[in-house]
Amino acid sequence: MKRVLLKLSGEALSAGTGEIYDGNFVDKVAASLCECKDKGYEIAVVVGAGNIWRGRAGGEMDRTDADRMGMLATVINAICLKDAVNRAGGKAAVMTAVPMYPFAEIYSSDAAKAALSDGKIVIFGAGLGIPFLSTDTAGAVRAAEIGADAMLMAKNVDYIYTDDPRKNPDAKPIINIKASEVLAKNLKAIDATATAFCLSVGMPIRVFGLNTPDDILKAISGESVGTVISAE
């Protein structure tokens, strides 16, 4: 792989502390991204917002408004990560699906690909700019638009399992699986819309737990980390 899209959950930035951010962990993630770039990989990132806000947490709120709040929260996380990358010695740019100057550049696939070719780590915020679609789906779409070789998904689980391991102690980790099987078996580790989209465009996915930031480089370089979802 040369160019990859990393979907980074918002919870990863808090590292399970219960706070919005764990500064030390964010810095380690940024250092790992810079190391990947230094090894010749082109890296784009879609960041979630679960450490700040989820649309489904809106209760009786209008779903569109709740999701828009989530999009704004992803931009906060994107700016945080950009700052950490720059402090780690890398170059980063934030691009958003809706105009947010001067906080970020407006997204276009041409601008994103040019920035990646120029050695920048490009961080996408505000999802796709529309409600009802997850940041998993935003990651899948952006991966296709920038011509990524694969989508990597750093989650709060280390594999996709045959069942929810938090509820079923007999759940087994899955090393390799087809996207069509993920959909047919209704496995919940990633958004079904994102899985279906990757299946339709032939985009492989690797799902792994971000136990340590070093797992990002392992996943990109093809080491045995997490679950590989193939499009065929």
Side-chain angles (χ1 to χ4, degrees), residues 13 17 24-25 36 41 47 49 52 68 74 84 111 119 136 138 144 155 161 178 198 208 213 217 219-220 224:
L13 302 181
T17 62
N24 289 332
F25 194 79
C36 293
Y41 298 105
V47 63
I52 301 174
R68 284 173 175 165
T74 69
D136 283 0
K155 291 281 192 176
Y161 284 79
K178 295 179 180 179
C198 287
F208 63 101
L217 178 58
I220 291 177
S224 182

Side-chain angles (χ1 to χ4, degrees), residues 100-118:
M100 296 195 69
Y101 180 81
F103 300 104
E105 303 173 42
I106 185 68
Y107 167 78
S108 78
S109 58
D110 288 343
K113 287 186 281 190
L116 289 166
S117 296
D118 192 39

Side-chain angles (χ1 to χ4, degrees), residues 28-147:
K28 289 177 182 177
V29 169
S32 182
L33 293 175
C34 290
E35 183 181 3
C36 293
K37 187 265 298 178
D38 290 342
K39 290 184 178 295
Y41 298 105
E42 295 179 357
I43 306 168
V45 182
V46 165
V47 63
N51 58 321
I52 301 174
W53 176 262
R54 291 183 180 276
R56 63 174 179 265
E60 298 300 317
M61 287 182 64
D62 178 84
R63 174 63 186 272
T64 298
D65 287 338
D67 281 359
R68 284 173 175 165
M69 290 173 63
M71 292 177 213
L72 291 171
T74 69
V75 179
I76 294 173
N77 282 342
I79 293 171
C80 172
L81 188 58
K82 180 202 75 169
D83 178 80
V85 168
N86 289 340
R87 286 189 287 103
K91 296 187 295 181
V94 174
M95 296 185 179
T96 54
V98 294
M100 296 195 69
Y101 180 81
F103 300 104
E105 303 173 42
I106 185 68
Y107 167 78
S108 78
S109 58
D110 288 343
K113 287 186 281 190
L116 289 166
S117 296
D118 192 39
K120 291 183 178 178
I121 295 167
V122 182
I123 307 162
F124 301 126
L128 294 174
I130 53 178
F132 299 99
L133 294 176
S134 70
T135 47
D136 283 0
T137 300
V141 173
R142 293 289 185 252
E145 288 179 323
I146 65 172

Side-chain angles (χ1 to χ4, degrees), residues 175-205:
I175 306 301
N176 294 282
I177 190 170
K178 295 179 180 179
S180 57
E181 293 180 79
V182 173
L183 294 169
K185 295 178 180 179
N186 197 28
L187 300 177
K188 299 291 189 180
I190 67 175
D191 184 89
T193 304
T195 304
F197 181 86
C198 287
L199 174 61
S200 71
V201 299
M203 176 76 63
I205 308 168

